[in-house]
Amino acid sequence: MKFQPLALALGAFLALGGLNAHADIVAQWDYNKGSTKHSQSMNGASFATLGGVTTSFVAQTGSSDPNAGQAMNTASYAAQGTGSLTRGVQFGVDTTAYENIVLTFDQRNSATASAWTALLYTIDGENWSQATTFKMATGNLDFVKGLSFDFSSIAGVADNTNFAFQLVSMFAPGTSSYLATGATSNYGPAGTIRYDMVTISGTEIIAAAVPEPESYALMLAGLGAMALVLRRRQRQA
């Protein structure tokens, strides 16, 4: 127990470099720069529409964006009873050097849009899996802020050049038809869905630091000095 300070010092020395991990924005779409699809990307990023969906830029009033700007509006969805999980938007993000990947976004539906949206993802660029679903509250036609999904427990998402995800409209679970977002509305292909502040964040992967020879020498000198102090205290006790 008398040499506990030595163990603590050694542990602290070896742990340096792993204490400063924090979440970074890997890619973000805030749509505040005209027709630019993504306005910030630390790594490679891409965007595409699915199934003939069209996009335009509209007011982002009510979203979590702190700056007055725009949101992306999507339209031209499938007819009732057709095309579930085939129409929406796709975002590709190179997560190389990042782990603990988390998606957050804001969404606003019109009354006749599908209340249900599915989140799909791929780690190889070809095969897609369903991560989760999101349902807009019936009758809520305002932006729903901070929708999120944590990918950190899914193998292959971190440190991956092929990671991509989709937000697609889907039938109400257990049915073969879309459910309208509006409380008194019927679903229609003219319904629209707005997205804003689509953000992928993660923590940088930091390799365990290997001390340089000079660092070893400095550490050993410090440990030697501490040992000498401890021996003197033992003799005086």
Side-chain angles (χ1 to χ4, degrees):
M1 295 297 293
K2 293 182 179 179
F3 289 92
Q4 185 178 13
L6 294 177
L8 292 176
L10 180 59
F13 183 87
L14 295 177
L16 287 175
L19 299 178
N20 297 321
H22 63 280
D24 295 318
I25 293 177
V26 182
Q28 183 178 76
W29 289 259
D30 64 12
Y31 304 108
N32 289 342
K33 295 185 178 180
S35 61
T36 302
K37 294 299 185 193
H38 59 84
S39 59
Q40 178 176 352
S41 176
M42 304 307 292
N43 289 15
S46 63
F47 173 83
T49 58
L50 304 169
V53 163
T54 59
T55 63
S56 60
F57 294 99
V58 295
Q60 48 76 268
T61 304
S63 80
S64 62
D65 191 343
N67 303 306
Q70 302 174 115
M72 179 181 68
N73 195 55
T74 62
S76 303
Y77 282 89
Q80 179 63 284
T82 67
S84 182
L85 301 175
T86 64
R87 298 201 180 195
V89 289
Q90 176 177 313
F91 303 83
V93 181
D94 180 358
T95 62
T96 298
Y98 287 93
E99 60 186 351
N100 302 319
I101 302 301
V102 175
L103 164 68
T104 59
F105 64 98
D106 301 343
Q107 180 174 332
R108 176 182 174 180
N109 287 14
S110 69
T112 59
S114 171
W116 287 89
T117 298
L119 171 63
L120 311 180
Y121 72 94
T122 181
I123 59 175
D124 61 11
E126 296 181 4
N127 299 292
W128 294 83
S129 300
Q130 183 170 303
T132 191
T133 60
F134 300 96
K135 181 182 182 297
M136 300 296 104
T138 302
N140 181 14
L141 305 182
D142 297 323
F143 262 110
V144 178
K145 296 179 284 189
L147 294 170
S148 67
F149 184 78
D150 187 344
F151 285 100
S152 60
S153 64
I154 299 179
V157 171
D159 198 26
N160 187 345
T161 59
N162 294 316
F163 173 66
F165 64 93
Q166 298 176 347
L167 293 168
V168 292
S169 61
M170 61 176 285
F171 294 156
T175 75
S176 58
S177 60
Y178 298 104
L179 173 68
T181 303
T184 59
S185 302
N186 294 319
Y187 170 83
T192 62
I193 300 176
R194 297 184 187 186
Y195 294 105
D196 200 10
M197 298 303 290
V198 181
T199 304
I200 287 289
S201 60
T203 54
E204 188 175 0
I205 298 173
I206 302 176
V210 178
E212 297 292 331
E214 296 82 359
S215 299
Y216 274 122
L218 191 60
M219 177 185 71
L220 292 174
L223 293 176
M226 292 178 66
L228 180 61
V229 171
L230 288 173
R231 283 198 296 270
R232 287 179 177 174
R233 289 181 178 177
Q234 288 174 350
R235 292 172 182 172
Q236 296 172 358

